[in-house]
Amino acid sequence: MLAIGLLVFRDYGISWDEPQQRNIGAVSLKYVLSLIAPQAMTGDLQQLPDLQDFADRDYGVGFELPAFAAEKLLGLTSTQSIYFFRHLLNYLVFLIGVGATYSMAARRHGAWQAGLLAALLLYFSPRIFAESFYNDKDIIFMAAFALAACTMLALFRKPDFKSAFWHALATAWALDIRIMAIVMVPATLFVLAARAFQQRDLAARLSVLFTCWLAATFAFHVATFPFLWADPFGNFIAVFQHMAHFRWTGPELFLGEMIDGTRPPWHFALVWIGVTTPPLVLLLFAAGIFAVACNVLLKWTDETLEDITSLGLCVAPVLAVIVLHAIIYNGWRHLYFIYPFMILIAVRGAFIIWNRLRQHRMAAGAALVILASLFTVTGIWMWKTHPNQHVYFNALAGPGAGDRFEHDVWGLSNRAAVEYILAHDASPFISIAPMSNTPLENALLMLTDEQKRRIHVLRYADFTTYILNNYQIVPSRDDTAMLKTHDLYYQAQVDGDKLVSVFRRKMP
């Protein structure tokens, strides 16, 4: 997995949010340096706003602050090298999440094969794989949350102060990325209460252990989140309120209709999970739910409690979104942190099926062949569509999913379109304008300095040679009217759905 990442991390475009996310880390670093080393605030740091004047000061910096500091220590100056580095770092953090998922599955089943299956199911999820390079919000939080859960289950297995210390560090890191990690508090309370119920003589000791863990988590969180330094409790509440009333409004294409993104229907997350998760994971997840339900009725063991915890961590957040009418948009990316626990339940389902089949050699062999074939088919699809795995839909979405669901909402395909123009048009001055809701200017950050000098993004299509359309928030995906005045110059498709098109004006 590391080798694959090193081979392909330069291939991906830049997402809508990455420049702003980088600014969050930069402003926080400026604040830290202003307190401990004012003389180090040179160059572009001086041009940044102060933390108290920064609109996004309450965003977590668990990834952004170290990433920006590392960028400065490495002396990266060109935007291309900066975002290549960030994509590699993003992927390395994702691998931490893969490792945590491997560890939880292997420990639960007492077999490395279970861990390997969990890691492969997570890795061969096309959308997760693609976003592991550039989604520095949801994928990073998914990895940190998986690590926090892994240390929590280790604490359940071995409830001592050493395990509590590591769990506090991991939970604090997850909180530094997104306040949603606060769900670790009731989850940890549940597993320690379950241990106390099993061993009544440990109840008092476990109460002290939970209190110490909670205090250490908050202390680590405050120490590593500069926004909290001035007013730890007040600013913590402010961050929590921001999560409850998220600052976003906009339309969203869902099931073929443009809906109000601040009022998604109750089944929004369920549908998105259903149409973008590989069928193998969905089938094994269903089998795993059945297996956990049977175990709950028959016997309560450490393994059963771990299964209940995993099921709770993937079901409870979805129910909370439905009941509280929470704002989520751009698919179900805000719930990606539940995916490792869906994988754990899926592995439980796989082992139940395997235990039924392994007594019959031919059936077991056929099951292994089918499993390997499904991984192979998914892997081939990911290779053929590289680097556009982020628009994966399974068979449940039906044909023409791009007409019914948000597609390239972050404009990842813009980079390839711009590079195609640069490679095939030798003009020293190239003008292009977007005709859809897409961050076309961001694509220029991935270019070399020479390429940047040649291409210019304008806001008025009447004055440009090229027009780019990635079909986000547009009245129609029909290009008939455009083809009257322009020629189709470049187009990328995935499974027959148009991802991005570039049109060249017929008359100069």
Side-chain angles (χ1 to χ4, degrees):
M1 292 177 183
L2 176 62
I4 290 173
L6 292 174
L7 288 172
V8 305
F9 76 92
R10 295 182 180 87
D11 298 345
Y12 289 88
I14 186 169
S15 69
W16 195 302
D17 293 346
E18 283 184 84
Q20 182 61 18
Q21 285 294 108
R22 178 174 174 266
N23 282 343
I24 291 170
V27 171
S28 294
L29 180 62
K30 176 185 176 180
Y31 175 72
V32 173
L33 292 177
S34 70
L35 297 177
I36 62 174
Q39 69 280 2
M41 286 197 304
T42 59
D44 55 348
L45 285 176
Q46 294 178 330
Q47 310 302 320
L48 294 169
D50 293 331
L51 184 62
Q52 62 269 23
D53 301 323
F54 188 52
D56 294 332
R57 58 187 177 276
D58 51 359
Y59 275 69
V61 296
F63 173 77
E64 301 302 340
L65 180 54
F68 188 80
E71 167 196 321
K72 290 301 177 183
L73 289 173
L74 292 172
L76 303 178
T77 55
S78 72
T79 58
Q80 186 184 64
S81 63
I82 287 170
Y83 285 101
F84 280 166
F85 167 72
R86 286 177 62 88
H87 286 188
L88 177 59
L89 190 61
N90 210 100
Y91 181 79
L92 295 178
V93 174
F94 164 68
L95 290 188
I96 293 175
V98 175
T101 306
Y102 171 95
S103 179
M104 287 187 285
R107 185 170 55 209
R108 158 64 182 86
H109 294 278
W112 64 264
Q113 293 91 338
L116 180 59
L117 178 60
L120 291 175
L121 288 173
L122 180 57
Y123 197 77
F124 278 86
S125 298
R127 285 180 175 252
I128 299 296
F129 175 82
E131 295 190 37
S132 70
F133 292 94
Y134 52 79
N135 187 340
D136 49 6
K137 290 182 173 181
D138 313 292
I139 294 296
I140 295 296
F141 181 59
M142 183 191 77
F145 196 79
L147 184 63
C150 184
T151 57
M152 178 187 69
L153 295 177
L155 177 63
F156 171 69
R157 293 277 181 133
K158 189 178 180 182
D160 57 22
F161 286 98
K162 181 179 179 181
S163 298
F165 171 81
W166 290 115
H167 182 38
L169 274 180
T171 305
W173 182 43
L175 281 167
D176 289 348
I177 295 167
R178 187 168 285 172
I179 193 65
M180 179 59 75
I182 195 72
V183 301
M184 271 295 131
V185 175
T188 303
L189 179 61
F190 169 77
V191 298
L192 290 180
R195 177 60 74 202
F197 183 79
Q198 290 176 325
Q199 298 175 272
R200 304 292 177 85
D201 57 321
L202 292 179
R205 182 171 180 270
L206 291 174
S207 298
V208 173
L209 190 65
F210 176 78
T211 304
C212 292
W213 166 80
L214 190 61
T217 297
F218 187 72
F220 289 144
H221 179 45
V222 172
T224 51
F225 193 1
F227 174 62
L228 301 181
W229 292 356
D231 182 6
F233 291 100
N235 287 348
F236 181 84
I237 293 173
V239 174
F240 195 83
Q241 290 173 336
H242 166 235
M243 178 193 73
H245 305 285
F246 193 69
R247 304 185 293 264
W248 184 84
T249 59
E252 179 96 2
L253 180 63
F254 179 67
L255 292 176
E257 296 182 5
M258 202 64 71
I259 64 170
D260 181 355
T262 63
R263 297 178 181 178
W266 70 267
H267 55 284
F268 182 85
L270 295 176
V271 171
W272 267 106
I273 293 171
V275 300
T276 59
T277 302
L280 177 62
V281 175
L282 293 176
L283 291 172
L284 293 179
F285 179 69
I289 292 177
F290 177 77
V292 173
C294 291
N295 268 15
V296 169
L297 295 174
L298 296 176
K299 58 182 178 179
W300 283 68
T301 63
D302 286 356
E303 289 75 17
T304 303
L305 286 168
E306 288 191 12
D307 290 341
I308 293 172
T309 302
S310 296
L311 189 59
L313 288 174
C314 66
V315 172
V318 177
L319 291 178
V321 166
I322 294 172
V323 173
L324 300 176
H325 306 287
I327 297 176
I328 62 172
Y329 53 93
N330 302 156
W332 63 290
R333 64 181 182 86
H334 298 94
L335 289 171
Y336 278 175
F337 69 95
I338 73 171
Y339 195 54
F341 308 100
M342 289 181 62
I343 295 293
L344 293 179
I345 298 300
V347 172
R348 180 77 182 106
F351 267 64
I352 283 292
I353 295 172
W354 175 250
N355 288 336
R356 294 288 186 273
L357 295 178
R358 66 179 180 178
Q359 300 173 2
H360 308 282
R361 182 173 298 180
M362 291 188 64
L368 290 176
V369 170
I370 292 172
L371 183 64
S373 299
L374 290 173
F375 277 122
T376 302
V377 168
T378 303
I380 291 173
W381 186 93
M382 293 169 68
W383 173 71
K384 288 175 62 177
T385 59
H386 179 76
N388 295 317
Q389 301 96 342
H390 61 289
V391 293
Y392 168 82
F393 287 96
N394 62 32
L396 294 177
D403 293 328
R404 298 191 305 280
F405 297 95
E406 294 288 355
H407 219 213
D408 187 19
V409 66
W410 268 349
L412 274 302
S413 58
N414 293 347
R415 175 194 171 189
V418 169
E419 289 179 337
Y420 180 89
I421 297 172
L422 289 165
H424 294 83
D425 187 336
S427 305
F429 183 97
I430 299 172
S431 58
I432 184 172
M435 66 173 295
S436 55
N437 186 41
T438 189
L440 184 53
E441 292 87 349
N442 283 3
L444 275 58
L445 298 174
M446 303 297 286
L447 304 178
T448 64
D449 291 339
E450 181 183 354
Q451 289 174 323
K452 288 178 189 175
R453 286 191 288 269
R454 292 180 55 213
I455 196 158
H456 303 269
V457 176
L458 306 180
R459 304 313 302 176
Y460 299 101
D462 290 342
F463 303 106
T464 62
T465 304
Y466 297 96
I467 294 178
L468 179 142
N469 187 0
N470 79 331
Y471 306 98
Q472 291 301 303
I473 318 299
V474 293
S476 171
R477 293 171 63 87
D478 187 355
D479 298 324
T480 303
M482 176 61 66
L483 292 174
K484 294 179 181 178
T485 55
H486 293 71
D487 293 317
L488 180 62
Y489 191 74
Y490 167 85
Q491 188 174 82
Q493 295 186 4
V494 173
D495 292 339
D497 287 331
K498 292 181 291 188
L499 190 61
V500 62
S501 299
V502 174
F503 302 93
R504 180 184 173 95
R505 191 177 300 279
K506 291 182 179 180
M507 295 295 292

